[in-house]
Amino acid sequence: MDPDAVAKAFVEHYYSTFDANRAGLANLYQDGSMLTFEGQKIMGSQNIVAKLTSLPFQQCQHAITTVDCQPSGPAGGMLVFVSGNLQLAGEQHALKFSQMFHLMPTPQGSFYVLNDIFRLNYA
Amino acid sequence: MEEQVEMVGKAFVDHYYHLFDNNRTALLSLYQPTSMLTFEGQRIHGVDGISAKLNQLPFDQCCHVISTVDSQVSAFAGGIVVFVSGSLQLQGEEHPLRFSQMFHLIPTGQGSYFVQNDMFRLNYG
């Protein structure tokens, strides 16, 4: 499958899961996965999902502006670089963010997130 | 106490942007034939292509001011992913541009790193 198509499909799946069923993100991470969220480092699927489900908002909507991807090396990994807007329920203005994912292939033919780094982009 | 990988990431970022702002042609020492750059959506491969792109950007003098640097081990072959956000002040422009950039660094085997993957995006307000 075309890498750009894989990256776009992953991004759509990731953010629609985030926005509709945050706990469902658990199967996109594994024990060795790492998240750095606004500078805070978290390791492992359970801890990562605990962090994401405890963020101080119930409802949110991600709107993606750009998706760039590149293969990361011989292991079949893919780097995905995203920018977009995050609208929180009840907030007047959307927050701007950038995020990078390093996806690694699973034996079943899909991808999991090995590295995940998220930053808000302040004006 | 800062982790090793964060120290490497910061040291690399300081070096990269110092070169970019003071001696842009020397940046090619940080790339190898397998390197890839995606610059505002445009994909470029290899040292010559990347060097040409960076040297042909439509400004002579610039200054990068880094706001955040986050690094993680990419867990194979000693690689590191580095995620940067900051501002880019172009000479003669009133307002700086905000940007985000990610690097995937691979050890050279001589104690330093080269940029295997590089993606740059301006962050519009």
Side-chain angles (χ1 to χ4, degrees):
Chain A
M1 198 177 162
D2 162 36
D4 289 324
V6 171
K8 280 212 169 73
F10 169 81
V11 164
E12 275 161 21
H13 177 63
Y14 182 89
Y15 292 110
S16 65
T17 306
F18 196 115
D19 295 345
N21 175 23
R22 234 179 289 169
L25 291 171
N27 59 22
L28 294 178
Y29 298 95
Q30 292 187 4
D31 288 344
S33 297
M34 288 163 274
L35 166 64
T36 305
F37 189 93
E38 281 288 286
Q40 185 191 349
K41 300 182 102 138
I42 300 129
M43 187 134 178
S45 178
Q46 261 190 310
N47 294 323
I48 290 171
V49 175
K51 170 67 183 178
L52 296 178
T53 53
S54 69
L55 290 171
F57 50 85
Q58 297 292 343
Q59 279 192 286
C60 67
Q61 173 113 45
H62 290 80
I64 302 313
T65 314
T66 64
V67 180
D68 294 308
C69 69
Q70 293 178 1
S72 69
M78 186 179 307
L79 293 161
V80 184
F81 185 39
V82 180
S83 72
N85 293 303
L86 176 55
Q87 181 68 59
L88 303 184
E91 293 289 324
Q92 191 181 44
H93 299 290
L95 299 169
K96 302 189 85 63
F97 75 92
S98 294
Q99 187 157 14
M100 65 137 280
F101 301 98
H102 185 194
L103 308 181
M104 294 299 287
T106 67
Q108 295 84 35
S110 64
F111 287 86
Y112 77 96
V113 179
L114 173 64
N115 305 98
D116 180 348
I117 307 181
F118 174 92
R119 278 283 181 186
L120 293 170
N121 297 143
Y122 297 103
Chain B
M1 187 165 88
E2 241 183 353
E3 237 184 279
Q4 176 76 13
V5 70
E6 296 286 0
M7 283 166 46
V8 172
K10 282 215 171 72
F12 169 80
V13 162
D14 285 344
H15 180 58
Y16 181 90
Y17 293 111
H18 176 81
L19 280 184
F20 198 116
D21 296 346
N22 294 284
N23 185 9
R24 218 183 303 168
T25 53
L27 280 175
L28 66 83
S29 66
L30 297 178
Y31 297 93
Q32 289 192 3
T34 55
S35 298
M36 284 168 275
L37 166 64
T38 305
F39 190 93
E40 281 288 286
Q42 186 193 350
R43 303 174 123 138
I44 300 131
H45 250 103
V47 181
D48 292 342
I50 292 170
S51 177
K53 173 65 184 178
L54 296 178
N55 285 300
Q56 285 159 20
L57 290 171
F59 50 86
D60 286 327
Q61 280 194 282
C62 66
C63 182
H64 290 81
V65 177
I66 303 313
S67 306
T68 65
V69 182
D70 296 304
S71 304
Q72 292 179 1
V73 176
S74 85
F76 62 110
I80 296 177
V81 288
V82 185
F83 190 48
V84 181
S85 73
S87 299
L88 175 57
Q89 180 68 61
L90 301 183
Q91 193 183 33
E93 295 288 325
E94 193 183 321
H95 299 291
L97 302 168
R98 299 196 69 75
F99 74 92
S100 296
Q101 188 158 13
M102 65 138 286
F103 301 98
H104 182 207
L105 308 181
I106 303 288
T108 58
Q110 284 104 39
S112 63
Y113 291 82
F114 77 93
V115 179
Q116 167 67 16
N117 304 95
D118 179 348
M119 296 195 253
F120 175 91
R121 278 283 180 188
L122 293 171
N123 297 143
Y124 296 103

